[in-house]
Amino acid sequence: MATLAPQAPQYTHWSQDQPKHALDHIPGEDGWPILGNTLPLLADPVGFGTRMRETYGDVFRNRAFGRTSVLLSGADANELVLFDRDKNFSSAQGWGSVLDLLFPRGLMLLDFDHHRADRRALSIAFKPAPMRHYTDALNRGIAAQVQGWAGREMPFYPAIKQLTLDLAADSFLGVPLGPEATAINKAFVDMVQAAVGVVRKPLPFTAMGRGVAGRNFLVGWFTAEALKRRAEGGGQDMFSQFATATREDGTMLPVDEVVDHMIFLMMAAHDTITSSATSLVWLLAKHPEWQDQLRAEALAVTGGAGRPLMYDDMGKLELTEMAFKEALRLIPPVPSIPRRALREFEFGGYRIPAGTGVGISPSGVHMDPAYWPDPERFDPLRFTPEAAAKRHKYAWVPFGGGAHMCLGLHFAYMQVKILMAQILTRYRIEIEPGYAPKWQPWPIPKPKDGLKVRFVAL
């Protein structure tokens, strides 16, 4: 169990450094001068974390991306940090050094009362009426694209990435993207890649330089759109909901904050759903017996090949949801979650001082045999209600947890269920025997070759 020292917060910004030797009592490695362990961590985050845990235990020190932090392992650590009963772990200061130049004031970069107020204002976009609207847009957009995949052998990742961008534009913005679509997509790609760039300043010809340029382009585009939505009023699309959202005191969010929230949520919906949908397609291609079961479920619920999945029927795709959860376990779209301790605390027998960067690893706990017997095996039945009830609540955290639980998680479930219903009722997904693509683990997992699959009409 962890205990929190009764101290007032000392650190108010991630740029404030701790004393040089503040973490020397924590076992671990600092790596190479300047780079630390950045390169081995980027190359194989799961393998690196496994080696460090096996060497040093569930609490260890690591230096990467120019900062020294403490990594906590296990479901109890996840609960301590994510549930954050004592409001000690700052998401803003954890993600700030990584994302502030790219996604300032996104929900992940807000804490406590400010986060709660903005999250409540933005949650209106995920109420039943807007969700029904998104369902119609998703069914329409996915069907139009998927019906052209018959007989094609294709890299799935770039196809689904373009589709999710188009769907986000339709569902979130209420309008199809015009000539700006390519520039918008490139801006998001550059911003996400910049998040793990080794150079952390926006210098010319660096990943961070490209990322900041992408952000500047999106700010201009979304600002013009936000002002237009406010002038028009109303609208069921997400952007119109955000642009007209009010806080508890009745005041509207400033336009620049609306823009920052929209950019962040568009990125999350665009890139994390692309990654997780690709993971699920890959695993179903490897396990055709599960394809058959999900196909039978989708046909029974929708009534036929290519038919829409209605909003009120989402809960009936139980096997599909379990398979998606298992894909998120095996390949979580956010491999690690950083925070910063505002006050000193204890965990695992160690005193961890105020100002320490603290990390937890979904990819690590998701492969821990203490919670997941035979963890590398694809088994959606791990997520039956009975099995889930016996497991630690924080052993599965692909969407985070606590106050910062992903705001759009139900939208993610909805989009993937509609996608699976449209694909599996039309096609059998096939791969070449023995095919095993290599995955790029950071910043959001994706197959390096795009995932080569074939859609065979039923």
Side-chain angles (χ1 to χ4, degrees):
M1 293 296 292
T3 58
L4 188 70
Q7 302 173 355
Q10 298 177 19
Y11 290 85
T12 59
H13 196 273
W14 59 84
S15 64
Q16 293 172 269
D17 290 329
Q18 289 180 296
K20 186 174 181 180
H21 299 289
L23 299 176
D24 284 358
H25 63 291
I26 307 292
E29 301 173 11
D30 293 329
W32 292 91
I34 301 176
L35 288 177
N37 292 311
T38 301
L39 298 182
L41 179 62
L42 286 174
D44 183 10
V46 175
F48 178 82
T50 299
R51 180 184 69 79
M52 293 290 280
R53 285 192 300 276
E54 290 175 348
T55 304
Y56 301 108
D58 287 341
V59 180
F60 61 86
R61 183 187 78 251
N62 177 50
R63 183 165 181 79
F65 299 107
R67 305 185 72 84
T68 301
S69 58
V70 172
L71 284 302
L72 310 179
S73 301
D76 286 340
N78 293 347
E79 182 171 13
L80 169 70
V81 173
L82 295 175
F83 188 65
D84 196 13
R85 180 180 289 105
D86 298 301
K87 294 185 177 181
N88 185 46
F89 298 101
S90 169
S91 181
Q93 295 190 45
W95 285 107
S97 63
V98 179
L99 297 180
D100 186 61
L101 290 175
L102 306 164
F103 301 100
R105 291 179 301 210
L107 279 178
M108 286 202 316
L109 278 83
L110 299 178
D111 282 326
F112 314 129
D113 290 344
H114 190 177
H115 172 264
R116 182 185 63 81
D118 279 23
R119 183 184 177 94
R120 180 166 181 166
L122 299 177
S123 67
I124 189 174
F126 298 99
K127 300 295 185 184
M131 289 287 276
R132 288 181 186 275
H133 170 78
Y134 308 150
T135 303
D136 293 341
L138 291 173
N139 272 298
R140 182 176 62 252
I142 291 173
Q145 187 67 30
V146 167
Q147 65 184 357
W149 292 353
R152 291 181 59 187
E153 185 168 355
M154 54 186 271
F156 181 76
Y157 183 87
I160 193 63
K161 186 172 179 62
Q162 184 60 54
L163 177 56
T164 56
L165 179 63
D166 293 341
L167 294 172
D170 194 2
S171 300
F172 292 9
L173 306 180
V175 294
L177 293 177
E180 311 98 332
T182 299
I184 289 173
N185 188 40
K186 182 180 185 300
F188 279 119
V189 170
D190 288 346
M191 291 170 73
V192 171
Q193 287 299 128
V196 292
V198 175
V199 178
R200 304 310 299 165
K201 294 183 179 181
L203 301 175
F205 310 111
T206 65
M208 186 61 76
R210 291 188 293 272
V212 170
R215 169 179 165 74
N216 292 338
F217 170 80
L218 291 178
V219 166
W221 193 88
F222 277 103
T223 298
E225 280 292 315
L227 293 171
K228 179 181 176 183
R229 301 304 170 90
R230 285 200 171 174
E232 294 173 347
Q236 286 295 305
D237 61 274
M238 189 178 293
F239 198 11
S240 295
Q241 296 278 316
F242 283 0
T244 56
T246 58
R247 295 196 172 106
E248 290 176 289
D249 62 2
T251 60
M252 299 179 79
L253 274 67
V255 169
D256 59 346
E257 292 189 23
V258 170
V259 168
D260 285 333
H261 284 310
M262 196 66 207
I263 290 174
F264 176 76
L265 289 170
M266 280 280 288
M267 179 278 295
H270 182 205
D271 283 286
T272 59
I273 292 179
T274 295
S275 175
S276 55
T278 302
S279 302
L280 180 55
V281 164
W282 156 236
L283 291 164
L284 292 177
K286 284 180 64 179
H287 301 278
E289 71 280 8
W290 275 104
Q291 267 194 71
D292 294 340
Q293 293 187 59
L294 269 60
R295 180 178 298 110
E297 178 182 69
L299 287 168
V301 172
T302 64
R307 293 188 178 181
L309 176 63
M310 297 294 100
Y311 177 76
D312 291 332
D313 291 333
M314 292 292 165
K316 297 177 183 178
L317 290 189
E318 296 176 348
L319 286 177
T320 303
E321 182 167 324
M322 287 190 283
F324 183 43
K325 287 180 175 178
E326 178 70 338
L328 290 168
R329 181 187 72 83
L330 287 164
I331 310 176
V334 182
S336 64
I337 299 175
R339 295 287 191 267
R340 196 185 198 200
L342 300 178
R343 302 182 297 281
E344 179 183 298
F345 70 101
E346 292 182 8
F347 183 79
Y350 293 95
R351 176 190 57 79
I352 301 173
T356 300
V358 175
I360 59 171
S361 172
S363 58
V365 76
H366 288 183
M367 299 300 288
D368 190 334
Y371 309 106
W372 310 98
D374 192 9
E376 295 187 5
R377 179 169 55 92
F378 178 68
D379 180 12
L381 295 181
R382 300 179 196 270
F383 290 93
T384 63
E386 297 78 16
K390 297 175 183 177
R391 195 165 46 240
H392 195 300
K393 183 179 179 181
Y394 284 83
W396 184 77
V397 289
F399 295 108
H404 279 275
M405 177 76 80
C406 175
L407 183 63
L409 69 91
H410 295 297
F411 180 87
Y413 282 128
M414 185 169 72
Q415 181 164 330
V416 169
K417 286 180 178 180
I418 294 172
L419 178 68
M420 290 299 104
Q422 287 290 335
I423 291 177
L424 294 178
T425 61
R426 299 170 188 264
Y427 308 122
R428 184 172 64 254
I429 311 169
E430 295 183 350
I431 54 175
E432 291 296 326
Y435 173 59
K438 294 184 178 180
W439 286 70
Q440 174 185 308
W442 291 91
I444 296 175
K446 68 176 183 179
K448 292 183 177 180
D449 67 354
L451 187 65
K452 300 173 183 177
V453 299
R454 182 167 53 251
F455 293 97
V456 179
L458 298 173

